[in-house]
Amino acid sequence: MKLKIKDISYVIPVYNEEKRLKFLLREILVFRKKNKNIDSEFILVNDGSIDKSYQILNNTTKYYKFIKLINLQKNFGKGYALRKGVLRAKKNYIVTIDADLSVKFNQILLWFNKYKINTKNTVYFASRNHKSSNVKFKFYRKFIGIILSFFVYIFVDKKIKDTQCGFKLYSNKIGKKIFKELNINGFSHDIEVIFLLKKLNKKIHELPVKWTHRNNSKVNLITEPFKFIMNILLLKIKYF
């Protein structure tokens, strides 16, 4: 089947990823080499890392023009880092993706080859709860996900099964509109993305994904779920 995508901006937030950056950067180079017909750029946003992440990224981006680096002097949060990256993106399609590569870069190509992707009025969310997804979870992550999904079902949207998977596809136009208005800087920014899409009368469509758990997550599984629930309630009040 003929590939339907010609260019992509991948936006990748990075926070204290020193141990995983070698893998991430190698995967970027492999993807570029295998897909020379796609004009891709990789925007890595260093979100105030206190390990050697910035030094590693800075040394690498000197040699590859398609790898762009945005360096934030302090840690603001995933939502803020993504906003900075999305607003810098130049390609027609914008994909947000986590630095641990629990979802690989080529997932977007699989989507375009298998589904009728139309980003004019639709944003595509990878869903680990889709019946066709291939997912390798840790039990405690699955349990927390079920609890958070319950609050999303009650207060946000009864149709969306997975808001927190980091892999999402936007058109450049919609992506910039959404992230320009985004106020939530942290882990629960995805919920505000949903409210903003509703505000703009844009659709959300969930697609299956191959997702693999990676160790060394930077999400605090004790404090972040409480912040997540509180932000849902605050956003519900704000947008309705």
Side-chain angles (χ1 to χ4, degrees), residues 5 46 60 76 83 122 124 153 172 178 189 196 198 200 210 222 228:
I5 187 167
N46 178 47
T60 302
F76 289 94
R83 178 162 70 247
T122 305
Y124 294 86
Y153 178 85
N172 188 291
I178 294 299
H189 74 277
L196 287 169
K198 289 176 178 290
L200 293 173
K210 183 177 181 180
I222 297 175
F228 181 87

Side-chain angles (χ1 to χ4, degrees), residues 1-222:
M1 184 179 292
K2 186 177 179 181
L3 196 63
K4 300 176 182 178
I5 187 167
K6 295 181 179 180
D7 64 356
I8 320 171
S9 294
Y10 285 102
V11 180
I12 312 166
V14 174
Y15 178 62
N16 291 345
E17 294 287 356
E18 175 186 348
K19 295 180 180 179
R20 296 194 286 208
L21 280 181
K22 183 177 180 180
F23 172 68
L24 170 62
L25 294 169
R26 183 175 70 244
E27 288 295 307
I28 288 175
L29 298 179
V30 168
F31 180 85
R32 276 280 298 192
K33 186 175 182 179
K34 287 184 177 180
N35 299 280
K36 294 180 180 179
N37 57 324
I38 299 175
D39 181 15
S40 53
E41 66 173 357
F42 301 82
I43 303 172
L44 295 108
V45 185
N46 178 47
D47 188 20
S49 298
I50 56 176
D51 62 2
K52 295 181 180 179
S53 292
Y54 171 72
Q55 291 89 327
I56 294 171
L57 292 174
N58 190 45
N59 289 335
T60 302
T61 53
K62 291 177 181 178
Y63 300 101
Y64 301 100
K65 292 183 179 180
F66 55 85
I67 304 178
K68 314 294 175 59
L69 175 61
I70 298 174
N71 185 48
L72 305 179
Q73 295 299 318
K74 68 176 186 175
N75 177 243
F76 289 94
K78 184 178 180 181
Y80 187 91
L82 285 173
R83 178 162 70 247
K84 290 294 184 181
V86 168
L87 294 180
R88 182 78 65 89
K90 296 181 179 179
K91 309 305 179 184
N92 288 314
Y93 297 103
I94 298 174
V95 175
T96 61
I97 182 170
D98 292 339
D100 65 359
L101 294 188
S102 50
V103 180
K104 296 292 190 70
F105 293 115
N106 69 340
Q107 180 68 63
I108 197 67
L109 309 186
L110 298 176
W111 281 1
F112 270 87
N113 277 333
K114 190 171 183 179
Y115 302 100
K116 293 181 179 179
I117 302 294
N118 184 348
T119 57
K120 184 177 181 180
N121 289 299
T122 305
V123 170
Y124 294 86
F125 284 21
S127 175
R128 293 161 294 187
N129 295 320
H130 193 286
K131 63 180 180 180
S132 298
S133 289
N134 182 348
V135 177
K136 295 181 181 179
F137 266 113
K138 290 291 185 180
F139 172 76
Y140 62 88
R141 291 283 297 265
K142 180 69 174 178
F143 179 70
I144 293 173
I146 291 172
I147 295 173
L148 299 184
S149 294
F150 171 77
F151 282 90
V152 172
Y153 178 85
I154 296 298
F155 295 106
V156 183
D157 194 306
K158 290 179 170 57
K159 295 180 180 180
I160 300 175
K161 306 299 182 183
D162 186 1
T163 62
Q164 298 312 112
C165 184
F167 195 90
K168 294 178 173 66
L169 168 66
Y170 306 81
S171 69
N172 188 291
K173 184 177 180 180
I174 293 177
K176 281 184 164 53
K177 279 185 177 181
I178 294 299
F179 281 89
K180 189 174 182 179
E181 291 190 43
L182 192 74
N183 289 304
I184 297 292
N185 289 336
F187 170 69
S188 52
H189 74 277
D190 301 273
I191 301 302
E192 188 173 18
V193 166
I194 294 171
F195 281 120
L196 287 169
L197 287 169
K198 289 176 178 290
K199 178 182 174 183
L200 293 173
N201 293 316
K202 304 301 180 183
K203 299 178 182 178
I204 297 170
H205 188 69
E206 292 185 296
L207 291 175
V209 67
K210 183 177 181 180
W211 188 95
T212 303
H213 172 82
R214 308 289 186 192
N215 292 323
N216 302 313
S217 171
K218 303 304 180 298
V219 177
N220 187 315
L221 295 179
I222 297 175

